[in-house]
Amino acid sequence: MSLRDQLTDALYGLGWGTVKKLPEPVAVRLGRSIADLAWKQRGKGVQRLESNYARVLPDASPERLAELSRAGMRSYLRYWMESFRLPAWSPERIKSAFDPKDLHYLTEGIASDQGVILALPHMANWDLAGAWVTTKLETPFTTVAERLKPETLYDRFVAYREGLGMEVLPHSGGTAFGTLARRLRDGGLVCLVAERDLSSSGVEVEFFGEATRMPAGPALLAQQTGALLLPVTLWYDDSPVMQGRVHPPVEVPETGGRAEKTSVMTQALADAFATGIADHPEDWHMLQRLWLKDLDPAKKPPAPEKGTS
């Protein structure tokens, strides 16, 4: 393991081992201070965040985009502070920390035993939403995680999420899709973060007026298993309670081949994500390249983002 990988792993270990022990007001102030410092340094992540926000709000002034990126970094660090502390939260705290709207789409889908796929963008705290599902709804689910480097960091994330009641499958290896399909055919729940796939297998969609690629997996799983496909968006307000919305189901088209159906369904997911992001752009934690125009065709797709798979 390289020195850089050792340092990365040690820093995440410090977060999970130390931040969760801090009094909550101290953790909140620490997260905001780190966010503001990172924002003032205007590194590549902050610049990319502003560039992405400019797609969401094309008429925004530079001052507005800077204001938005500062709020975005604070939201991003709130995610991390919450995630580091989440393993120490009581079940009662987890149950009261999330207030999703239109939850009936999910609860009715779970009760139907047809299987449910929840597809989310990188908004607010998807780990907290998952912990709420396993705790409040008492429903376990399966998800997929990118293999991070170093391997010890990936192991930390798997252990963290399994500790919250999730079954975590590695994205690589080619077996995840089959396992997800089996879980859904058994009436289970699958949750996937699904707005960024810059591989050659991604489905091209229009997102805020420009082309990008999103994963085909959610749409393909729904077609193969008959499971309900539900987009979900998340956001923060000024309270300690995270907000969210379960959007209406994405239906499988009655006509067309598999590729055509997948394209239509993935575009519907993109449209639902765009609605939530446009309403709460500061809670969309996209510090990486997303749109095809931003990619250098001579280079390989960017590596998976660290720590937010």
Side-chain angles (χ1 to χ4, degrees):
M1 186 189 302
S2 70
L3 179 61
R4 179 178 179 179
D5 285 349
Q6 291 179 35
L7 180 60
T8 298
D9 182 62
L11 287 173
Y12 281 103
L14 181 66
W16 271 300
T18 302
V19 173
K20 68 180 180 182
K21 299 176 182 177
L22 296 175
E24 186 159 349
V26 175
V28 170
R29 289 196 298 271
L30 175 63
R32 179 162 291 200
S33 297
I34 295 172
D36 288 349
L37 178 61
W39 178 77
K40 288 176 183 177
Q41 291 178 338
R42 293 197 56 78
K44 290 183 179 179
V46 173
Q47 293 179 47
R48 177 55 57 193
L49 188 64
E50 283 188 16
S51 175
N52 290 338
Y53 286 158
R55 264 47 178 260
V56 179
L57 299 172
D59 297 327
S61 66
E63 294 77 16
R64 171 58 178 148
L65 291 174
E67 178 185 79
L68 196 58
S69 67
R70 184 178 189 180
M73 290 303 296
R74 288 181 171 183
S75 175
Y76 186 47
L77 264 294
R78 176 173 171 176
Y79 158 76
W80 277 113
M81 291 297 115
E82 286 182 348
S83 294
F84 287 144
R85 295 170 59 78
L86 200 50
W89 283 10
S90 68
E92 291 72 23
R93 174 66 190 279
I94 292 173
K95 291 176 184 178
S96 64
F98 182 37
D99 181 24
K101 311 298 185 293
D102 296 326
L103 184 63
H104 65 93
Y105 290 121
L106 174 56
T107 54
E108 291 169 4
I110 292 172
S112 73
D113 288 329
Q114 72 179 101
V116 178
I117 306 159
L118 296 180
L120 306 87
H122 288 82
M123 293 187 75
N125 192 336
W126 46 96
D127 286 325
L128 172 55
W132 185 90
V133 168
T134 61
T135 305
K136 176 74 173 181
L137 301 185
E138 298 182 341
T139 302
F141 65 87
T142 304
T143 189
V144 174
E146 294 282 356
R147 281 203 172 276
L148 305 174
K149 292 185 178 180
E151 189 75 14
T152 50
L153 178 59
Y154 171 78
D155 292 340
R156 286 185 189 275
F157 270 94
V158 170
Y160 159 63
R161 286 172 174 152
E162 287 180 343
L164 299 175
M166 311 175 194
E167 179 188 22
V168 183
L169 306 176
H171 185 272
S172 59
T175 62
F177 188 91
T179 302
L180 294 174
R182 287 194 295 273
R183 299 292 182 269
L184 291 168
R185 290 191 183 102
D186 290 340
L189 176 64
V190 164
C191 299
L192 301 170
V193 180
E195 94 279 31
R196 186 172 186 261
D197 184 349
L198 302 177
S199 70
S200 59
S201 61
V203 178
E204 187 167 320
V205 296
E206 183 177 287
F207 195 51
F208 292 104
E210 292 188 35
T212 187
R213 286 191 289 266
M214 293 188 180
L220 288 172
L221 284 167
Q223 292 175 61
Q224 285 201 16
T225 67
L228 196 66
L229 176 54
L230 298 175
V232 177
T233 52
L234 310 171
W235 67 93
Y236 293 124
D237 57 17
D238 294 330
S239 76
V241 179
M242 184 174 71
Q243 306 298 312
R245 182 173 305 282
V246 182
H247 295 256
V250 172
E251 304 289 347
V252 178
E254 295 182 359
T255 60
R258 185 174 71 168
E260 184 179 354
K261 290 179 179 179
T262 301
S263 177
V264 170
M265 295 173 71
T266 306
Q267 183 63 61
L269 277 181
D271 293 343
F273 294 163
T275 297
I277 291 168
D279 288 341
H280 307 280
E282 68 278 6
D283 293 314
W284 184 40
H285 306 152
M286 186 51 62
L287 282 72
Q288 297 78 28
R289 294 173 293 171
L290 182 72
W291 281 274
L292 301 186
K293 280 186 179 179
D294 294 335
L295 304 179
D296 183 346
K299 296 180 180 179
K300 295 180 181 180
E305 60 191 281
K306 288 191 175 182
T308 56
S309 62

